Amino acid sequence: MSELSPRQRAWLEVSPTAIEANCRLLRHQLAPGCQFMAVVKADGYGHGAVTVARAALRGGASSLGVATLQEGLELRTAGIEAPVLILSALRSPEDLSCCLDGRLMPTLSGLDEAKTAAAIAAERGTDRFPVQLKLDTGMARLGGEWQEGAGLVQSIRALPQLELVGLYSHLACADEPDDQLTQVQLQRFRSVIEALPDGGRGLCCHLANSAGTMQSPSLHLDMVRVGLALYGQAPASHLGRDLPLQPALAVKARVSLIREVPSGSGVSYGHRFVTSRPSRLAVIGIGYADGVVRALSGRIEVLHGGRRLPQVGNITMDQIILDATDVDDLTVGDIVTLLGQDGSERISPEEWSTRCNTIPWEILCGFKHRLPRVEI
């Protein structure tokens, strides 16, 4: 995290307190003994993985989920010792070897990967390489076939160098209001556990993402894997209505220039917006190279003094332009809020995602590293 310079043009504000509070709030929805994995992949959904991981662990998370080996190693370099599961596939011996060195748990999708991991552990003279097995119950992405799940578990357990600590799958449609697949996936997953001679004793079995966690306690099993909700965003409007999640990120920028233009002036590339009156335009030092999606051009507002100011013209690489004609007190150097709270007004990632036909996850993960993250 960075210190904010008074000359900084734009930045993200991240609240570790909000992340910690969200973690505690969500944990209270779980049955006693159900663990909480904080998913901090994609640099903590753009919030800063190390900051998020530390806040979530303070809030009671027992483990962390990342997408890549590099993300896991970043946490270890920062001194974070909690269990870390790599949720994507690692197939090369070199990556699995780094995983063992970094005390990171790889995800296996089949017996071939398990044998490779076991051979690496044997070369190192270790008989404890913790791994987890993923099954495909309906996502058609990573994971072994669920119909072969019980056999895979037993085959991996037969490899003495490996310690199979977890069995999991991923929900495909849990955030859909008319979802029926989730119960099918749950039944498939449970059938694998029930087919094991010991009923899965000693395995941490997990299925629920944020939507699954908020949808039904029946999906919680031994652990939940929470991403979006940890950052204060509900994965769907029908989920979490009674949960006071706290958004953990705000996007702010400074006014770099104010100019007066006559009626009929074209604004920005392509002149997609033309002023219909003498106008006062404010140039803000943030653009699509920072993560303000160009498809939002002319579709968003920013906040100043609790009021909304429309963004006009095409969003450019490094600047956006606001129509400040009706705001007399906006001056050069003032701070405006693109995402977050100002007075009684709030602009959410969901508002942006709805306006450019995407999802809040993509909005949050899209902010680039030339925008410093500042803890508040």
Side-chain angles (χ1 to χ4, degrees), residues 286-294 296 317 352 362-363 366-368 371:
I286 190 171
Y288 63 74
D290 300 293
V292 183
V293 185
R294 189 174 182 274
L296 289 169
M317 186 179 290
W352 277 18
E362 185 176 8
I363 297 297
F367 294 111
K368 307 301 191 296
L371 284 181

Side-chain angles (χ1 to χ4, degrees), residues 96-154:
L96 288 167
S97 181
C98 287
C99 210
L100 181 58
D101 290 340
R103 293 167 290 108
L104 306 169
M105 284 182 289
T107 288
L108 307 178
S109 290
L111 192 54
D112 288 345
E113 297 164 39
K115 289 178 177 178
T116 301
I120 289 167
E123 290 174 7
R124 298 294 190 85
T126 180
D127 58 358
R128 189 181 185 278
F129 189 176
V131 299
Q132 297 208 25
L133 172 64
K134 185 172 188 178
L135 300 177
D136 176 21
T137 58
M139 186 76 174
R141 198 173 60 174
L142 296 179
E145 299 293 339
W146 68 271
Q147 298 92 333
E148 302 170 5
L152 282 172
V153 169
Q154 291 176 272

Side-chain angles (χ1 to χ4, degrees), residues 28-74:
H28 286 322
Q29 315 305 311
L30 308 179
C34 183
Q35 301 177 54
F36 187 102
M37 174 182 285
V39 179
V40 299
K41 63 181 179 176
D43 195 29
Y45 287 38
H47 294 63
V50 172
T51 295
V52 173
R54 288 173 175 158
L57 292 169
R58 289 195 300 270
S62 58
S63 60
L64 305 167
V66 298
T68 69
L69 174 62
Q70 290 72 22
E71 290 176 345
L73 293 174
E74 178 189 359

